[in-house]
Amino acid sequence: AADLGCHLDQKTLALVRVASLVAADGPAETFRWTIGDALDAGADEDEVVGVLLAVASLVGVARVAATAPKVALALDYDLDADLESPPDA
């Protein structure tokens, strides 16, 4: 990514971009690219999910809930498999 006078490290910049995609209801493919950049820059899955939690009070729980499947797919989380076999109680 071009510097453009930004003083954030690459990981933080990528996580901020994930937050902006949540706010803008970005497309799934853009989430995949941006989350890939965050992971490549050293972020982990918990930090990516933490972005959703951090912006929930700003963008609304409904927006976060609508975005969560896009984030899960970008993290290669198999939603269908998890829904088919829920954890033991």
Side-chain angles (χ1 to χ4, degrees), residues 24-80:
D25 193 23
E29 191 60 32
T30 305
F31 273 98
R32 183 175 294 280
W33 296 332
T34 306
I35 289 172
D37 289 346
L39 296 174
D40 289 345
D44 61 31
E45 292 179 0
D46 288 339
E47 289 174 305
V48 173
V49 172
V51 169
L52 297 180
L53 298 174
V55 301
S57 65
L58 300 170
V59 300
V61 174
R63 172 63 54 91
V64 171
T67 300
K70 297 176 192 179
V71 172
L73 291 172
L75 292 171
D76 293 323
Y77 184 79
D78 189 346
L79 291 171
D80 292 330

Side-chain angles (χ1 to χ4, degrees), residues 4-44:
L4 302 175
C6 180
H7 301 290
L8 300 174
D9 60 78
Q10 290 301 308
K11 179 175 107 171
T12 303
L13 182 60
L15 292 171
V16 167
R17 288 180 174 159
V18 171
S20 70
L21 286 173
V22 174
D25 193 23
E29 191 60 32
T30 305
F31 273 98
R32 183 175 294 280
W33 296 332
T34 306
I35 289 172
D37 289 346
L39 296 174
D40 289 345
D44 61 31

